[in-house]
Structure formats: C-alpha cells, structure tokens
Amino acid sequence: MAHSIAILSMIPRLSYHLRMQLPNLTIFDVSPDKHDTLSKLKNVDILITDCDLFVPYIDKLPSLRWVQTTWAGVDLLASNLRDKKINYTVTRFSSNSFGLAMSEYVIAHIFNFERAQRQQYENQKHNQWQTDGKISKHRLICDLSVGILGLGNIGKTIAQKLKIFGATVWGITRTPLKEKLDYLDEHRTIECLSEVLTNCDYIVNVLPSTNNTMGLLNGNVLRDCKNRGSVLINIGRGTIIKEVDLLNALQQQWILGAILDVFEEEPLPKESELWTLPQVTISPHISGVTRAQDVARFFNENYQKFVKGEKLPNTVNVKEGY
C-alpha cells in the first residue's frame, strides 16, 4: 500500500534526508504558513511534524494514522491531545543523538564551571596571566558525585558518559528500575530525592514536564543541597522549578550555581534576574538540537515497523505526558 507522507516542520533539509533514507516513497513538504495547509494535509495518513506546528490540526485530519514528531519532549502536544478523541498513533523522536549531544553539554559545562572558564575568558580579555582559585585548584569529574533526575534514553546516556570520566553517578526515577545499570553507583526513586540532593555535587535534571514532575524542585527543596554546595544543571523542562524559587536557592546559597538551558517562560524575558547573576550560565534551549539526518534515520526505523503492523517504540502516552 502506498502511503501519503507529509512533512510539517521548520527543520531545514528534512525532506532531503528523508528521501535519501526512503527513496521509493512519495514524501512532500507542507508549509505551515499557507492558507491551504489544512487542505493539503486532509488526505495524509503519515505526518512528520514539529509539535507546535501540529497543534492546530490535531483533530482535523480524518485520514491520519500515524504522527512522528520531531521533538523528544511532547508535553505541549500531549496537553492538547488530552481531551481529544484521536484515531492515530503519536510517536516522539528519541535518538541516541540527543543523548550524545546533551552528554557533551553536561560534561562541557561541568568542566567549565569547575575550572572557572568564565574567569579565564575575562583574564584573556585583559592580558592577565592568573592561576588563582579554581583556575588551578579545581576538581576533576572523577572527584564529583552527579545526580541525574530521569533515566530515560537521554539520562542513561549522560550517566554512561559521566562514568567514563570516573564520576560517582546517582540516578533517580519515578519507579524502581527493572534492571541493574552498571554505570550507576546509586539509584533512588523520587521519594528519596532529598538523599540525592544531599549527596551530589551536580544535579542534572532530564525529566520531562508531567503532572508528576512539575514543581518537583519548588519551594525549599534545594535547601538539601546547602551543605554540598551543589550546582543545578537543567536540560529537562523549566517547569521543574519556579524561577522565584530558583533565584531564592541561589541567593540563599543552597546551590552555588545554575546551568540553565530551559525555563518557565521561553525565550527567557530580558527583565529576568537570572541574566545578571555571575554564577548562572544561560543557553537558549540548545543542549540537544534536532538534526534532520537523525529524524530521517529514526523515522525510517519506525516506518519499517509501521508497514509490518508492529508496535511502534516511543509511542506517546497522552495521559502521562510523554
């Protein structure tokens, strides 16, 4: 059976890479900015799409059988699907590329923070040869305990890479693990969050935004980091902690720094105090960027299962939000 496959995405050259992977299929682009977008999607049975672009059409495409999103986090889409009756499957993009990219992000920022790289850049600007403080008296990753909140594909990859550098790795999940992971030194469920915060030098949040995770670090939760002087790295979702509570944790020095790629509101408003704090590093939600070639490869693998009638991996659970 010939499938009608459309792309509704802002990712450059996605159709090119998909055609390279699946040269015998008819794949076409649909512009999200045209007045006839809906009519072009009406008869599509497979759609590859960015979550935000798909939201206006979630209950308007009667022929749709499968939606492959280009995003790893699908909380936006899941929240809009929750009250809708749909007859199609939604799968989220989950690729080793995300885990590798976000592992690089975490390790690079730990390295930069531990070695006062920001101060070294300032010294270079002013032709200053200085070796004081953490510039020369720094910790290695093997000296650190790192807690990872969330052990999905991304969290597991980060744990593996940190273990290569000799870190003591703690992992936390909502439910008990079904298998022993040899790159984890300690595992706890979410009820033991306080123990993880107390024992880790870095706390890396990789959790999605769900009813179970929203506000997990709100209030005075990060006070448990005080004696350790921990650093928060957030590459999951900004809903894990309110900005006012994060600022309070920094001001009270419960945490000594924050490396933030995601925020309650994005883009981060210019008036946010987070911009001005020297112990905070901000990046514009780029710790794991979706690449066209990775989406195409992932879709190809899923498509082979789809045509055989097999269960598709990474199917979105609308109720859970991921």
Side-chain angles (χ1 to χ4, degrees):
M1 174 184 175
H3 293 114
S4 177
I5 304 175
I7 302 169
L8 183 68
S9 174
M10 298 301 291
I11 299 174
R13 292 173 59 80
L14 179 54
S15 58
Y16 166 80
H17 286 283
L18 283 162
R19 293 187 187 104
M20 291 293 289
Q21 288 281 328
L22 296 159
N24 296 323
L25 296 183
T26 301
I27 301 172
F28 62 96
D29 288 290
V30 178
S31 172
D33 303 321
K34 301 290 186 180
H35 67 279
D36 59 348
T37 299
L38 178 58
S39 63
K40 288 186 175 180
L41 293 173
K42 276 284 189 182
N43 298 316
V44 166
D45 52 5
I46 299 175
L47 179 63
I48 304 157
T49 183
D50 305 346
C51 290
D52 56 340
L53 299 182
F54 179 57
V55 167
Y57 308 105
I58 56 178
D59 58 352
K60 295 180 172 64
L61 306 177
S63 298
L64 202 55
R65 295 175 57 199
W66 170 31
V67 174
Q68 172 64 66
T69 74
T70 62
W71 294 10
V74 291
D75 41 290
L76 170 67
L77 188 54
S79 64
N80 281 277
L81 285 169
R82 202 159 286 139
D83 299 323
K84 299 288 193 302
K85 292 183 179 180
I86 60 172
N87 298 313
Y88 52 84
T89 298
V90 181
T91 53
R92 62 184 179 83
F93 174 51
S94 179
S95 166
N96 289 339
S97 61
F98 268 143
L100 292 172
M102 295 169 94
S103 296
E104 288 185 5
Y105 180 96
V106 168
I107 290 169
H109 279 285
I110 291 176
F111 173 94
N112 287 342
F113 195 90
E114 288 300 313
R115 297 180 180 234
Q117 200 66 40
R118 181 179 292 180
Q119 183 59 52
Q120 293 194 57
Y121 293 146
E122 288 301 311
N123 292 345
Q124 181 177 340
K125 286 181 184 178
H126 299 95
N127 305 78
Q128 293 179 336
W129 184 282
Q130 293 186 359
T131 61
D132 56 321
K134 290 201 302 182
I135 293 175
S136 60
K137 298 176 182 177
H138 51 259
R139 298 178 294 183
L140 304 180
I141 290 178
C142 63
D143 299 324
L144 304 172
S145 291
V146 182
I148 301 173
L149 310 186
L151 288 175
N153 291 338
I154 294 170
K156 287 178 179 176
T157 303
I158 294 171
Q160 287 174 312
K161 303 310 177 190
L162 284 167
K163 198 66 203 166
I164 291 172
F165 284 90
T168 299
V169 182
W170 292 60
I172 193 165
T173 54
R174 189 167 57 88
T175 57
L177 290 176
K178 296 179 181 179
E179 58 181 336
K180 178 176 173 57
L181 303 176
D182 57 10
Y183 45 82
L184 276 190
D185 296 283
E186 300 286 346
H187 172 260
R188 300 291 187 272
T189 54
I190 208 75
E191 292 80 12
C192 299
L193 174 62
S194 176
E195 184 183 359
V196 177
L197 298 180
T198 302
N199 284 281
C200 291
D201 302 294
Y202 283 80
I203 306 298
V204 183
N205 175 52
V206 200
L207 290 166
S209 182
T210 70
N211 291 334
N212 295 313
T213 63
M214 291 178 67
L216 185 67
L217 301 180
N218 279 355
N220 296 334
V221 171
L222 291 179
R223 183 161 49 191
D224 289 327
C225 297
K226 183 176 181 180
N227 290 337
R228 197 84 184 192
S230 311
V231 175
L232 174 66
I233 300 179
N234 192 4
I235 54 175
R237 282 292 183 266
T239 54
I240 194 80
I241 185 171
K242 291 182 178 178
E243 183 174 319
V244 63
D245 293 332
L246 175 58
L247 286 166
N248 184 57
L250 288 162
Q251 290 160 356
Q252 299 291 335
Q253 295 190 334
W254 297 340
I255 58 175
L256 295 186
I259 295 157
L260 307 172
D261 188 52
V262 290
F263 306 88
E264 266 192 295
E265 182 182 346
E266 295 183 5
L268 182 65
K270 291 183 177 180
E271 61 272 17
S272 171
E273 192 176 342
L274 289 171
W275 290 108
T276 67
L277 299 180
Q279 71 272 45
V280 172
T281 298
I282 290 170
S283 58
H285 204 144
I286 47 75
S287 62
V289 177
T290 303
R291 303 190 307 169
Q293 59 267 41
D294 298 323
V295 175
R297 192 178 302 112
F298 185 79
F299 176 79
N300 184 13
E301 293 170 0
N302 262 2
Y303 182 76
Q304 304 310 320
K305 294 179 173 64
F306 179 79
V307 296
K308 294 175 185 176
E310 297 177 5
K311 179 176 173 58
L312 298 179
N314 301 295
T315 296
V316 174
N317 183 321
V318 172
K319 185 177 179 181
E320 293 290 342
Y322 61 93

